[in-house]
Amino acid sequence: AQSVTQLDSHVSVSEGTPVLLRCNYSSSYSPSLFWYVQHPNKGLQLLLKYTSAATLVKGINGFEAEFKKSETSFHLTKPSAHMSDAAEYFCVVTVNQAGTALIFGKGTTLSVSS
Amino acid sequence: EAGVAQSPRYKIIEKRQSVAFWCNPISGHATLYWYQQILGQGPKLLIQFQNNGVVDDSQLPKDRFSAERLKGVDSTLKIQPAKLEDSAVYLCASSLSDRANYGYTFGSGTRLTVV
């Protein structure tokens, strides 16, 4: 069965420092992977997606993620954190090869201090 | 483009009462999903519609939850009777295609508290 594991439930960084949110996946096929962000009292927003093209994926707001098949990882990074990046981040995998629905990880809360 | 509309935003009910949530997807989106997000967890798929037909309801607790999408547009999700463990945010999402790669648009959700 397909699954994702977000290795950190909470990450704290200072403004201007790099962000790393870790995600490992398990899949019996070549998956599509996503990162979504959820700000308080807001809907989920797609940050970026990997769909078997380039392994380094660039998303919105300066975020990027690298698909590493050998490590079954899809970590999310950003060179310099901004206060507005504080939110809940979800790593997501498609439920089947057809990609008809999504399975979400448990989420990582990112806190950014000034 | 207007987003996915959900109502109400908040609802508090007593256990064993019934409750209904409403979702209006983006115009033209054939696929509609309901997800349940319990505090501290990621969203979990409850049911998926393609137009007005159910594609996947394997995770829906059918003894108390029901959902419909009449005319392939708006959808309602009902819980009857509610239990304490149903306290969660209920998210509706819609997509042009049943392929997740096309991208979902999520609504802001309905926060249900069962007391």
Side-chain angles (χ1 to χ4, degrees), chain A residues 51-64:
Chain A
T51 56
S52 76
T55 56
L56 182 61
V57 181
K58 294 188 184 299
I60 61 172
N61 299 334
F63 284 94
E64 62 182 37

Side-chain angles (χ1 to χ4, degrees), chain A residues 32 34 36 38 41-44 46 49 51 90 94 98-107, chain B residues 9-10 33 35 37 40-43 45 48 91 98-104 106-108 111:
Chain A
S32 292
F34 308 77
Y36 276 81
Q38 187 175 39
N41 299 314
K42 297 282 182 66
L44 285 155
L46 179 65
K49 62 180 178 181
T51 56
F90 294 97
T94 43
T100 55
L102 302 177
I103 296 174
F104 284 74
K106 292 188 175 182
Chain B
R9 287 297 309 274
Y10 306 92
Y33 305 83
Y35 280 81
Q37 185 176 15
Q41 299 181 20
L45 178 68
Q48 176 187 352
L91 296 165
D98 65 345
R99 297 296 185 263
N101 297 343
Y102 281 78
Y104 290 19
F106 282 87
S108 296
R111 183 178 299 276

Side-chain angles (χ1 to χ4, degrees), chain B residues 5-26:
Chain B
Q6 291 188 247
S7 67
R9 287 297 309 274
Y10 306 92
K11 190 74 176 179
I12 301 174
I13 62 171
E14 295 182 350
K15 59 184 178 183
R16 291 187 290 273
Q17 286 187 323
S18 63
V19 64
F21 313 127
W22 174 81
C23 172
N24 180 231
I26 291 175

Side-chain angles (χ1 to χ4, degrees), chain B residues 19-21 64-68 76-80:
Chain B
V19 64
F21 313 127
R64 298 184 299 104
F65 285 65
S66 64
E68 60 183 10
T76 56
L77 176 69
K78 297 179 181 178
I79 307 175
Q80 181 179 11

Side-chain angles (χ1 to χ4, degrees), chain A residues 12-30:
Chain A
S12 296
V13 301
S14 299
E15 192 174 23
T17 64
V19 175
L20 170 63
L21 304 183
R22 300 182 295 165
C23 172
N24 287 349
Y25 71 90
S26 174
S27 179
S28 56
Y29 56 86
S30 295

Side-chain angles (χ1 to χ4, degrees), chain B residues 41-103:
Chain B
Q41 299 181 20
K44 182 186 80 171
L45 178 68
L46 289 177
I47 189 168
Q48 176 187 352
F49 291 95
Q50 185 69 16
N51 295 309
N52 61 347
V54 175
V55 173
D56 182 359
D57 63 356
S58 57
Q59 302 284 336
L60 189 73
K62 298 180 187 64
D63 58 332
R64 298 184 299 104
F65 285 65
S66 64
E68 60 183 10
R69 191 183 183 197
L70 300 176
K71 302 181 181 179
V73 183
D74 294 3
S75 177
T76 56
L77 176 69
K78 297 179 181 178
I79 307 175
Q80 181 179 11
K83 293 184 175 181
L84 296 177
E85 59 260 36
D86 298 332
S87 295
V89 175
Y90 290 85
L91 296 165
C92 179
S94 71
S95 177
L96 272 173
S97 162
D98 65 345
R99 297 296 185 263
N101 297 343
Y102 281 78

